Amino acid sequence: MAIQQKLSLMIPGPTPVPEKVLQALSKHPIGHRSKEFQDLVQSTTKNLQWLHQTQNDVLTITGSGTAAMEAGIINTLSRGDKVICGENGKFGERWVKVAKEFGLEVIKIDSEWGIPLDPEEFRKVLEEDKHKEIKAVILTHSETSTGVINDLETISSYIRKHNTALSIVDCVTSLGACNVPVDEWKLDIVASGSQKGYMIPPGLSFISMSQKAWEAAEKSNLPKFYLNLKSYKKSLQSNSNPYTPAVNLVFALDEALKMMREEGLDNIFRRHNKHKLAMSNAVKALNLKLFADEKYLSPSITAIKTEGMDAEEFRKTIKNNFDILLAGGQDHLKGKIFRVGHLGYVNDRDIITVVSAIGNTLLKMRKISAQQVGEALVVVSKYLEEK
Amino acid sequence: MAIQQKLSLMIPGPTPVPEKVLQALSKHPIGHRSKEFQDLVQSTTKNLQWLHQTQNDVLTITGSGTAAMEAGIINTLSRGDKVICGENGKFGERWVKVAKEFGLEVIKIDSEWGIPLDPEEFRKVLEEDKHKEIKAVILTHSETSTGVINDLETISSYIRKHNTALSIVDCVTSLGACNVPVDEWKLDIVASGSQKGYMIPPGLSFISMSQKAWEAAEKSNLPKFYLNLKSYKKSLQSNSNPYTPAVNLVFALDEALKMMREEGLDNIFRRHNKHKLAMSNAVKALNLKLFADEKYLSPSITAIKTEGMDAEEFRKTIKNNFDILLAGGQDHLKGKIFRVGHLGYVNDRDIITVVSAIGNTLLKMRKISAQQVGEALVVVSKYLEEK
């Protein structure tokens, strides 16, 4: 019997929100031009830089992650600019659409959904670009639609070698889940969203901009107003915003970032890695198949094939019986996969619970034996015990 | 002695938020692709249409009011289009900037800050446009920066006579405060924001689009992605959103719109009108001067001149002594005026309180006598008693 109010969100966003953060959300708003709010902006900005491991500007936009990615593209590029777009999932596809909408010339580097992008292809295209015509490389780090993580570290090293191209990266489901050292990897533009590793509800997005990105912004001729990042940079100098920001979400952000600092980056990454391993190995023990290449599993989402079962029906059963919301497949994957989000405010118990729920459901469907359910839980415990 | 946590917001946004709405904000988020969220979108959309007095589509965007206004402009117009922009305050100025950024040819109709736009000027320019070159009239209904309400009813009648030009109206501080009958006045595009009459924190904005606006959208060639309203319209057909919406703010919106329906449009408008009259007449009784033309006072904001006093210092004193946050003047008006917001969740007591606080402060400064303070409160009571 389901009690909807006690829903457990195991989707790749919105992710579960800690009680403290929910309480911060319900505080009475304050004036966004007040000293109190400026103090908040100062504190969140400092902690955002910590999370991004960067000295770059990190700007907060009221809007979804898509707004931040669009901002990255339209602020640094001009009509007709040649760019590489990596595409191996729904979000990669989206950035191709954005690039084309704004009149960019797109060189697509793609791979099948579920397969990581091949860094060698980036290397080749970048090396062959002798006249430095490629202005940017746009790609998705963790592909939320398929549970694949692309090898950003290697790809970004090739972008650095090219020297003039900017990196514009969707880190929406990687930032705050695994290591994204913006300064070390010299990532120029990194976009992320609040309802992911940040542990707060949707409505804010973030974008970090390197010095090189700001220099490119001086030359960009694409029209923009609400998403003109120069206005945000200028306002940030006085810890302010160009337009009224989502004040209550900023209260929540401040609280969540403090919790993240308390846990520490290494612990956060270790927790996500452990959950990824526990989840993916349990899936195999449950006689299910991973959708993504096992060597490139996202730290945040495990996508699971449901050969012979309707994934949407399966998700519905899990929701009705256990109050656990799983994500479905997108586009051509609808009905063929389901996705378990383990991103943000997720603890070991959540992982044990979701594996139990999936295991019990498969058992009732006579897809597996009780022994297999038990073995899957043993696998989970083994990975969870690792420090 | 101030207790900052008990701050009373009497600024034109964020406005005070009812307890019920704050509680809705702190609910655990749900999946934005779930049936439960679709039900919410259906309910809020219906109530948004009620509030706009329209059968038009009313779309919800995660972003500030500026995002909605920009969306109205870039979705219906094309590079080089001729438009009229009404400008008599900071927001009018902003729409001129947006129009120019997107390559529109702007015919400016302006008046001094504090003075309403002259509808006759609109009539003349529109009548002289024999070749129907003017594609849109862009203006601000209630100018938040000055407390002036422009005569939208008359101006929109001239736009209708022109027949081809679209009306694109910033109703950010008029919608939910005074009558804005979208269908009756045939307003094509109306933008508003959550932190105003809606009584919820900032982060959502709204845009109503007429059939004529959608037809124009088919021809618009300005690039856009996050703010492409066609995506929102398409998603709305299944009560959904193209990108992850600010789920918790939608919880709040649903609650607030239900409260508004309970109060009823007429009662809401009457309350705002009563508060406007009580406030503006009290200001005169306190020997202060209104900044705006008294025949065109905004229902939401009273702007007050502080000849011989630093308005910023005055605001600070009121905040420190009474925990009431007033707004300052913007741009060249900084230090010269302060603004009292009486928009959204404001009751009679709030008006009495702010008049008392201002009166007492002036008394301490020896600007007025105790008798004048008393008389101002008598004036307030008189207007508040009117049904």
Side-chain angles (χ1 to χ4, degrees):
Chain A
M1 250 299 266
I3 304 174
Q4 295 297 348
Q5 294 84 338
K6 210 176 171 177
L7 188 67
S8 169
L9 289 175
M10 298 206 72
I11 57 177
T15 61
V17 178
E19 192 181 10
K20 247 194 218 179
V21 178
L22 290 175
Q23 284 167 349
L25 262 179
S26 69
K27 289 200 292 187
H28 204 292
I30 59 176
H32 58 293
R33 303 285 177 223
S34 66
K35 169 78 172 60
E36 290 81 358
F37 194 71
Q38 287 177 321
D39 290 347
L40 258 184
V41 171
Q42 188 169 31
S43 144
T44 54
T45 301
K46 212 182 70 188
N47 288 336
L48 284 168
Q49 288 175 311
W50 165 81
L51 180 64
H52 286 72
Q53 305 180 56
T54 190
Q55 300 295 319
N56 290 343
D57 292 311
V58 186
L59 310 168
T60 302
I61 297 171
T62 300
S64 82
T66 298
M69 271 302 281
E70 175 176 329
I73 292 169
I74 66 176
N75 277 273
T76 56
L77 298 167
S78 294
R79 201 161 187 86
D81 275 357
K82 199 183 270 189
V83 298
I84 298 176
C85 281
E87 186 199 299
N88 61 334
K90 190 173 174 68
F91 288 91
E93 265 186 14
R94 184 173 290 176
W95 312 138
V96 171
K97 279 186 201 157
V98 175
K100 288 188 173 167
E101 172 66 22
F102 288 95
L104 307 180
E105 188 189 327
V106 174
I107 305 168
K108 210 154 60 171
I109 293 182
D110 55 9
S111 67
E112 219 180 301
W113 288 33
I115 307 294
L117 295 167
D118 180 2
E120 281 307 291
E121 289 192 49
F122 287 83
R123 187 186 56 74
K124 271 184 224 156
V125 177
L126 287 164
E127 279 182 6
E128 281 162 13
D129 180 41
K130 301 292 179 207
H131 300 295
K132 305 292 181 189
E133 286 177 349
I134 294 168
K135 301 298 179 207
V137 179
I138 302 169
L139 80 156
T140 307
H141 189 195
S142 160
E143 213 354 302
T144 313
S145 62
T146 62
V148 165
I149 192 143
N150 288 309
D151 183 358
L152 180 59
E153 182 171 8
T154 306
I155 295 171
S156 68
S157 74
Y158 298 142
I159 303 174
R160 286 205 298 284
K161 268 194 199 145
H162 180 277
N163 205 22
T164 63
L166 294 165
S167 47
I168 304 181
V169 197
D170 167 353
C171 289
V172 168
T173 52
S174 62
L175 202 92
C178 63
N179 195 29
V180 187
V182 171
D183 285 355
E184 191 189 322
W185 292 356
K186 292 202 167 37
L187 302 172
D188 295 304
I189 295 143
V190 171
S192 58
S194 57
Q195 74 279 19
K196 309 287 181 177
Y198 291 91
M199 313 187 291
I200 72 174
L204 295 180
S205 57
F206 310 96
I207 183 157
S208 95
M209 292 277 289
S210 71
Q211 190 49 42
K212 192 171 151 188
W214 287 123
E215 282 159 20
E218 289 304 316
K219 285 176 254 161
S220 161
N221 71 8
L222 291 168
K224 58 234 164 211
F225 192 87
Y226 182 65
L227 294 177
N228 189 332
L229 296 178
K230 279 195 217 166
S231 314
Y232 290 81
K233 183 183 168 74
K234 193 178 162 216
S235 293
L236 197 59
Q237 283 162 5
S238 52
N239 292 309
S240 191
N241 291 267
Y243 316 112
T244 315
V247 167
N248 288 50
L249 288 169
V250 177
F251 292 159
L253 174 66
D254 187 50
E255 204 59 62
L257 288 171
K258 282 175 183 160
M259 285 180 69
M260 292 177 92
R261 285 205 84 143
E262 215 166 286
E263 184 173 3
L265 279 185
D266 285 346
N267 289 333
I268 293 173
F269 301 156
R270 207 173 302 129
R271 175 165 56 84
H272 282 83
N273 187 55
K274 191 173 80 168
H275 290 170
K276 170 188 86 176
L277 292 173
M279 193 65 222
S280 55
N281 284 291
V283 162
K284 291 188 288 180
L286 290 170
N287 209 22
L288 292 170
K289 288 202 176 68
L290 294 167
F291 179 74
D293 183 331
E294 204 179 332
K295 292 187 297 297
Y296 294 91
L297 293 177
S298 161
S300 315
I301 313 113
T302 301
I304 299 159
K305 290 191 209 176
T306 53
E307 295 151 332
M309 285 194 303
D310 179 346
E312 290 305 294
E313 277 305 313
F314 191 78
R315 286 205 309 132
K316 211 175 284 174
T317 306
I318 297 276
K319 191 182 175 206
N320 288 341
N321 293 346
F322 303 101
D323 288 319
I324 297 173
L325 187 64
L326 304 176
Q330 292 172 290
D331 296 345
H332 66 276
L333 293 178
K334 190 158 187 164
K336 294 181 183 156
I337 66 167
F338 67 88
R339 294 172 298 149
V340 181
H342 32 83
L343 171 57
Y345 191 57
V346 172
N347 62 10
D348 290 1
R349 190 188 69 225
D350 293 324
I351 303 295
I352 297 175
T353 308
V354 75
V355 170
S356 292
I358 295 171
N360 273 288
T361 305
L362 291 170
L363 179 63
K364 267 200 217 157
M365 293 169 79
R366 298 170 189 270
K367 297 274 182 190
I368 54 171
S369 66
Q371 193 182 336
Q372 282 173 301
V373 176
E375 279 164 7
L377 287 170
V378 171
V379 167
V380 168
S381 296
K382 191 191 117 202
Y383 284 99
L384 293 180
E385 274 158 23
E386 280 180 14
K387 291 297 160 216
Chain B
M1 250 300 266
I3 304 173
Q4 295 297 346
Q5 295 84 339
K6 209 176 171 177
L7 189 68
S8 168
L9 288 175
M10 298 207 73
I11 56 177
T15 62
V17 177
E19 193 181 9
K20 246 194 217 181
V21 177
L22 290 175
Q23 285 167 349
L25 262 178
S26 68
K27 290 200 292 188
H28 205 292
I30 58 176
H32 59 292
R33 302 286 177 222
S34 66
K35 170 78 170 61
E36 290 81 359
F37 194 72
Q38 287 177 320
D39 290 346
L40 258 185
V41 171
Q42 187 169 31
S43 143
T44 54
T45 300
K46 212 183 69 187
N47 288 336
L48 285 168
Q49 289 175 311
W50 165 81
L51 180 64
H52 285 72
Q53 306 178 56
T54 191
Q55 300 295 319
N56 290 344
D57 293 311
V58 185
L59 309 167
T60 301
I61 297 170
T62 299
S64 83
T66 298
M69 271 303 281
E70 175 176 330
I73 292 169
I74 66 176
N75 277 274
T76 57
L77 298 167
S78 293
R79 202 160 186 86
D81 275 356
K82 199 182 270 187
V83 298
I84 298 176
C85 282
E87 185 199 300
N88 61 334
K90 190 173 175 66
F91 289 90
E93 264 185 15
R94 183 173 289 176
W95 313 138
V96 171
K97 279 186 203 158
V98 175
K100 288 186 174 168
E101 172 66 22
F102 288 94
L104 307 181
E105 188 189 327
V106 174
I107 304 168
K108 209 156 61 171
I109 292 182
D110 56 8
S111 67
E112 218 179 300
W113 288 33
I115 308 294
L117 296 166
D118 181 2
E120 279 307 291
E121 289 192 50
F122 287 83
R123 187 185 59 73
K124 271 183 222 157
V125 177
L126 287 165
E127 280 183 5
E128 282 162 12
D129 180 41
K130 300 293 177 205
H131 300 295
K132 305 291 179 189
E133 285 177 349
I134 294 168
K135 301 298 179 205
V137 178
I138 302 169
L139 79 156
T140 308
H141 189 196
S142 160
E143 213 355 301
T144 312
S145 62
T146 63
V148 165
I149 191 143
N150 288 310
D151 183 358
L152 180 59
E153 182 172 8
T154 305
I155 296 171
S156 68
S157 74
Y158 299 141
I159 304 174
R160 286 204 300 283
K161 266 192 200 147
H162 180 277
N163 206 22
T164 63
L166 295 166
S167 46
I168 304 182
V169 196
D170 166 353
C171 289
V172 167
T173 53
S174 61
L175 202 92
C178 63
N179 195 30
V180 186
V182 170
D183 284 355
E184 192 189 321
W185 293 356
K186 292 202 167 35
L187 302 172
D188 295 304
I189 295 143
V190 170
S192 58
S194 58
Q195 75 279 19
K196 309 286 181 176
Y198 290 91
M199 314 187 290
I200 72 173
L204 295 180
S205 57
F206 310 96
I207 184 158
S208 94
M209 292 277 289
S210 71
Q211 191 47 41
K212 193 171 151 188
W214 286 123
E215 283 159 20
E218 289 304 317
K219 286 176 254 162
S220 161
N221 71 7
L222 290 168
K224 58 235 163 208
F225 192 87
Y226 182 65
L227 293 178
N228 188 333
L229 296 178
K230 280 195 218 167
S231 314
Y232 290 82
K233 183 183 167 75
K234 193 177 162 218
S235 293
L236 197 59
Q237 282 161 6
S238 52
N239 292 309
S240 191
N241 292 266
Y243 315 112
T244 315
V247 168
N248 289 50
L249 287 170
V250 177
F251 293 158
L253 174 67
D254 188 50
E255 205 58 64
L257 287 170
K258 282 176 184 160
M259 285 180 70
M260 292 177 91
R261 285 205 84 145
E262 216 166 285
E263 184 174 3
L265 279 185
D266 286 346
N267 289 333
I268 292 173
F269 300 157
R270 209 173 300 131
R271 175 165 57 84
H272 281 84
N273 187 55
K274 193 173 77 168
H275 290 169
K276 170 188 87 175
L277 292 173
M279 194 64 220
S280 55
N281 283 291
V283 162
K284 292 189 287 179
L286 289 170
N287 210 21
L288 292 170
K289 289 203 173 66
L290 294 167
F291 178 74
D293 184 330
E294 204 180 332
K295 292 189 297 296
Y296 294 92
L297 292 177
S298 160
S300 315
I301 314 111
T302 301
I304 300 159
K305 289 191 209 176
T306 53
E307 294 151 334
M309 285 193 302
D310 179 346
E312 291 304 294
E313 277 304 313
F314 191 78
R315 288 205 308 133
K316 211 175 283 173
T317 306
I318 296 276
K319 190 181 174 206
N320 289 340
N321 293 346
F322 304 101
D323 288 321
I324 298 174
L325 187 65
L326 304 175
Q330 292 171 292
D331 297 344
H332 66 275
L333 293 179
K334 191 159 185 162
K336 294 183 182 155
I337 66 168
F338 66 89
R339 295 173 297 149
V340 181
H342 31 83
L343 172 57
Y345 191 56
V346 172
N347 63 9
D348 291 0
R349 190 188 69 226
D350 293 323
I351 303 296
I352 297 174
T353 308
V354 74
V355 170
S356 291
I358 295 171
N360 274 289
T361 306
L362 291 169
L363 179 63
K364 267 199 217 158
M365 294 169 79
R366 298 172 190 269
K367 296 276 184 189
I368 53 170
S369 66
Q371 193 183 333
Q372 281 173 302
V373 177
E375 279 164 6
L377 287 169
V378 171
V379 167
V380 169
S381 296
K382 191 191 118 204
Y383 284 99
L384 293 180
E385 275 158 21
E386 280 180 12
K387 290 296 161 217

